[in-house]
């Protein structure tokens, strides 16, 4: 299956980011801890090449804790400021203010020398769809100041949020990029819900996930569903349907329902804490 999704509003959103990049001092980039490389939009590097950057490893509660540590080390070695966060619970958010000051130390010092004191740092919050930007901003600000949703593309336009005297945030819509050179990247983005499920074949995607989990987290499906996870993927999907009583009329297995249930279990962490890619010597991923 070809994984690709770039609706028209993303082109408009990218232009808006290009127009506003000159107004900001810092980029706060959220990535999904389960796919930290695949969930980084390469266009952001182009747009923000001269700006300070903080990477937030979001949804870290859904990812493998050992992998989170590896990714933290990886990004630090790349010279980035990086924080492991869970926007829903608020874990890790308290550390952000100090890291913002550190990341913008030179800018703050330049302002001080020019007699400009207490000018707030202006940060643009960026990330792909469904990575949790709005939930992060609401948790960080301590109030519901942006719309949130579990579908990609809820945030449509730009919003400035003043947190305090020292920091203002510019929320931006989640954008992907026009073409995935590597279809494995597209698969991973589809699996975490960064594409609209209506444009992918969930049954095919679920069988791709079965293959990945058998190699990287053997036993996870067997433990969750009480099944033999070794047959070919479609047979595993049928076993999940039988285990979860996904039936059509006449006791026929509803494999499509089982596929959706399986993907939802992965996304919600019911299959365990799972990371789909690891940092390798040559940035190689699973």
């Amino acid at each position: 299956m070809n994984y690709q999704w770039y609706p028209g509003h993303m082109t408009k959103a990218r232009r808006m980011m290009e127009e506003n990049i000159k107004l900001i001092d810092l980029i706060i980039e959220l990535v999904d801890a389960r796919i930290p490389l695949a969930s980084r939009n390469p266009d952001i590097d182009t747009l923000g090449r001269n700006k300070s950057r903080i990477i937030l490893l979001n949804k870290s509660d859904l990812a493998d804790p050992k992998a989170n540590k590896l990714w933290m080390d990886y990004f630090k070695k790349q010279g980035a400021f990086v924080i492991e966060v869970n926007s829903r619970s608020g874990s890790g958010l308290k550390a952000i203010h100090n890291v913002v000051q550190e990341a913008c130390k030179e800018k703050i010092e330049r302002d001080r020398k020019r007699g400009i004191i207490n000018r707030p740092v202006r940060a643009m919050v960026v990330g792909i769809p469904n990575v949790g930007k709005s939930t992060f901003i609401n948790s960080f600000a301590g109030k519901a100041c942006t719309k949130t949703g579990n579908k990609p593309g809820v945030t449509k336009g730009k919003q400035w949020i003043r947190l305090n005297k020292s920091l203002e945030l510019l929320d931006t819509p989640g954008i992907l990029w026009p073409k995935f050179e590597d279809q494995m990247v597209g698969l991973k983005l589809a699996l975490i819900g960064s594409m609209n499920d209506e444009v992918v074949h969930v049954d095919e995607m679920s069988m791709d996930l079965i293959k990945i989990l058998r190699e990287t987290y053997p036993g996870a499906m067997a433990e969750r569903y009480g099944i033999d996870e070794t047959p070919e993927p479609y047979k595993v999907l049928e076993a999940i349907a039988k285990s979860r009583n996904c039936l059509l009329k006449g006791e026929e297995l509803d494999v499509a329902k089982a596929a959706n249930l399986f993907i939802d279990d992965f996304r919600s962490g019911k299959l365990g804490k799972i990371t789909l890619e690891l940092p390798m010597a040559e940035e190689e991923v699973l």
Side-chain angles (χ1 to χ4, degrees), residues 35 38-39 128 177 180 185-195:
I35 54 167
S39 59
I128 62 171
W177 51 107
F180 305 138
V185 169
L187 168 62
K188 291 171 184 174
L189 292 171
L191 285 170
I192 67 164
S194 289
M195 291 186 206

Side-chain angles (χ1 to χ4, degrees), residues 53 55 73-82:
R53 179 88 59 96
I55 295 171
D73 291 342
Y74 169 83
F75 285 122
K76 285 175 182 175
K77 286 175 183 175
Q78 301 291 315
F81 294 94
V82 57

Side-chain angles (χ1 to χ4, degrees), residues 45-282:
D45 287 334
T46 305
L47 288 172
R49 58 184 172 271
N50 297 318
K51 302 293 180 179
S52 298
R53 179 88 59 96
I54 296 174
I55 295 171
L56 301 184
L57 213 59
N58 196 30
K59 303 189 180 182
S60 58
D61 58 310
L62 298 175
D64 188 327
K66 292 179 182 177
N68 287 344
K69 289 184 174 63
L70 293 174
W71 281 112
M72 290 283 289
D73 291 342
Y74 169 83
F75 285 122
K76 285 175 182 175
K77 286 175 183 175
Q78 301 291 315
F81 294 94
V82 57
I83 306 171
E84 184 179 329
V85 301
N86 173 0
S87 295
R88 289 196 180 279
S89 70
S91 173
L93 300 188
K94 287 183 179 178
I96 294 175
H97 282 290
N98 287 339
V99 177
V100 166
Q101 296 298 307
E102 178 65 22
C104 295
K105 185 167 57 177
E106 292 181 8
K107 178 260 179 194
I108 294 167
E109 183 61 22
R110 282 197 306 271
D111 282 352
R112 190 187 64 77
K113 288 180 178 178
R114 292 162 58 195
I116 303 169
I117 301 173
N118 296 329
R119 175 188 283 176
V121 170
R122 306 188 95 185
M124 179 184 282
V125 182
V126 301
I128 62 171
N130 212 34
V131 80
K133 295 187 308 303
S134 296
T135 301
F136 157 67
I137 290 174
N138 290 342
S139 297
F140 194 37
K143 58 189 176 186
C145 45
T146 70
K147 294 179 181 178
T148 60
N150 59 3
K151 290 185 178 181
V154 171
T155 304
K156 297 297 183 185
K158 71 174 182 179
Q159 301 179 72
W160 277 105
I161 299 102
R162 187 178 179 90
L163 294 188
N164 51 45
K165 291 180 180 179
S166 63
L167 182 61
E168 292 180 356
L169 301 180
L170 174 60
D171 188 20
T172 60
I175 59 170
L176 295 172
W177 51 107
K179 186 179 180 183
F180 305 138
E181 299 297 335
D182 181 356
Q183 277 297 295
M184 184 57 77
V185 169
L187 168 62
K188 291 171 184 174
L189 292 171
L191 285 170
I192 67 164
S194 289
M195 291 186 206
N196 191 325
D197 282 343
E198 294 173 6
V199 304
V200 300
H201 298 291
V202 176
D203 53 346
E204 290 185 34
M205 181 170 68
S206 66
M207 287 188 281
D208 285 335
L209 180 59
I210 287 168
K211 294 175 191 173
I212 292 170
L213 293 185
R214 281 199 306 213
E215 289 184 21
T216 56
Y217 292 90
M221 293 179 289
E223 183 177 346
R224 173 68 179 163
Y225 304 113
I227 61 169
D228 178 4
E229 60 180 45
T230 59
E232 57 100 4
Y234 190 79
K235 292 293 184 184
V236 174
L237 209 50
E238 286 184 324
I240 293 172
K242 189 174 181 180
S243 169
R244 287 296 183 262
N245 205 31
C246 298
L247 301 173
L248 297 165
K249 287 182 180 178
E251 298 299 301
E252 182 184 348
L253 293 174
D254 190 343
V255 177
K257 183 177 180 181
N260 280 286
L261 181 148
F262 176 52
I263 295 297
D264 286 345
D265 280 355
F266 163 71
R267 290 175 178 171
S268 62
K270 291 176 182 174
L271 285 166
K273 296 179 183 296
I274 291 168
T275 298
L276 297 180
E277 58 186 17
L278 297 172
M280 302 290 185
E282 300 298 325

